[in-house]
Amino acid sequence: MRAVELFEGGVSNAEIARAVGVCAESVRRWRRVWEQDGASGLRRRAATGRPPKLDDTQVDMVRAALEQGAQAHGFEADLWTLERVGAVVTRATGVVLSRASVWRLLTGRLGWSLQRPERRAVERDESEIARWIAHEWPRIKKGP
């Protein structure tokens, strides 16, 4: 928009390029657009590209389904994987997504992040571990 002000002031392309910090070719392109469409032609536009497969309502449906937990959808463990989320998306919306699209849905549109469960033995006995650290480890550490 600074370039537009300078265009209207009759400043040369080279001077505008130096003032704005871009190459002269960019300023020439901007001037052509400005002369044809005015300042509104230079405003930023939304990125073009393929529209998302899920609209906002469907994303809200998926969010609600995922918040119920994996076991509520018939999975044995309450752990989400990309495949499981994809299956829930298909059941909830009828839309089939690739693993990459499921990842983008989770991280981009839902704001979720990757979280891995802590791997622990089911048989872990915290009191026995504390006893071992207090009594056995000092004996082993000192040596014979």
Side-chain angles (χ1 to χ4, degrees), residues 5-26:
E5 294 170 3
L6 297 171
F7 290 154
E8 292 169 348
V11 180
S12 72
N13 288 353
E15 292 177 53
I16 294 173
R18 279 191 294 278
V20 181
V22 297
C23 68
E25 179 57 35
S26 293

Side-chain angles (χ1 to χ4, degrees), residues 79-133:
L79 178 71
W80 287 115
T81 64
L82 293 177
E83 289 80 12
R84 288 180 176 187
V85 172
V88 170
V89 168
T90 302
R91 276 188 234 144
T93 65
V95 176
V96 177
L97 296 179
S98 67
R99 284 174 47 105
S101 294
V102 170
W103 177 253
R104 281 191 299 275
L105 169 68
L106 290 173
T107 58
R109 296 187 72 188
L110 294 177
W112 289 21
S113 62
L114 173 66
Q115 297 182 9
R116 291 195 170 116
E118 193 172 304
R119 298 211 182 271
R120 282 213 162 154
V122 176
E123 306 85 15
R124 187 175 171 101
D125 183 355
E126 296 297 331
S127 62
E128 179 60 23
I129 292 170
R131 185 203 64 75
W132 188 89
I133 290 172

Side-chain angles (χ1 to χ4, degrees), residues 20-92:
V20 181
V22 297
C23 68
E25 179 57 35
S26 293
V27 176
R28 282 193 291 276
R29 188 171 20 88
W30 293 347
R31 187 179 294 270
R32 279 193 305 271
V33 172
W34 175 69
E35 289 170 349
Q36 188 175 15
D37 302 328
S40 62
L42 292 171
R43 297 210 186 277
R44 287 193 178 168
R45 294 173 191 84
T48 59
R50 184 177 184 155
K53 288 185 174 183
L54 300 176
D55 60 27
D56 292 339
T57 306
Q58 290 172 314
V59 171
D60 291 338
M61 290 170 48
V62 169
R63 180 190 312 271
L66 295 177
E67 287 174 350
Q68 294 172 357
Q71 289 179 329
H73 294 280
F75 299 109
E76 189 174 314
D78 207 16
L79 178 71
W80 287 115
T81 64
L82 293 177
E83 289 80 12
R84 288 180 176 187
V85 172
V88 170
V89 168
T90 302
R91 276 188 234 144

